[in-house]
Amino acid sequence: MSGNYEGDVTVDECWSALSDDPEAFLIDVRTAAEWTYVGVPVAPADARQPVFAEWQSFPSMQADPAFADKLGRHILGSGGTHDTRLYFLCRSGARSMATAAAMTAAGFAHCFNVIDGFEGPVDESGHRGRAAGWKAEGLPWQQR
């Protein structure tokens, strides 16, 4: 277990897990602005569609105190259980760690942080999305 959740996975491991387990959820916890201006992940063909749930909202970037309750209701209302595998994705892997821990604390047993997130870390030129992450690995994504 990594920190207070089940573990960390690479974007490729996440893609494989979503492909192999159609009951799993990919949960993008970035802001609405990021979804709009940076793009969103596209799930494998037989997987559930990604869930978009802001952990923090721009511009205050305060964590939503009702996040775990709202997301938990969504997962359970969409046919998931407390044993369903949940994969959390953010820009670079920090917010997704916090959300994986929050959902584990809320009783969900299999919460994973997708390391390097959607855009990955900043490269030597100060840019994201080139060195690691969902986009850099060539996984499907689209503009919203």
Side-chain angles (χ1 to χ4, degrees):
M1 184 165 191
S2 296
N4 299 320
Y5 53 91
E6 186 157 338
D8 296 316
V9 297
T10 67
V11 292
D12 288 330
E13 290 168 333
C14 176
W15 180 264
S16 292
L18 294 170
S19 297
D20 293 343
D21 182 2
E23 298 303 311
F25 284 85
L26 174 62
I27 303 151
D28 188 328
V29 300
R30 296 175 299 145
T31 65
E34 288 171 296
W35 304 326
T36 300
Y37 296 109
V38 180
V40 296
V42 173
D46 293 333
R48 294 179 188 266
Q49 291 301 307
V51 174
F52 300 97
E54 286 185 310
W55 169 247
Q56 300 167 309
S57 296
F58 184 82
S60 72
M61 298 310 282
Q62 295 295 315
D64 178 356
F67 177 87
D69 183 53
K70 290 188 290 191
L71 181 59
R73 282 195 318 267
H74 176 80
I75 290 165
L76 297 173
S78 298
T81 70
H82 284 91
D83 289 321
T84 301
R85 294 181 178 276
L86 309 178
Y87 295 89
F88 294 91
L89 179 79
C90 67
R91 180 185 65 197
S92 61
R95 286 173 282 177
S96 51
M97 284 191 286
T99 55
M103 293 307 288
T104 299
F108 289 84
H110 304 291
C111 298
F112 299 89
N113 168 48
V114 180
I115 54 176
D116 294 326
F118 190 68
E119 295 181 86
V122 175
D123 66 15
E124 63 279 349
S125 300
H127 299 110
R128 293 186 188 276
R130 296 180 184 175
W134 192 276
K135 288 173 105 175
E137 293 296 327
L139 294 176
W141 65 280
Q142 64 188 18
Q143 289 301 141
R144 220 173 186 199

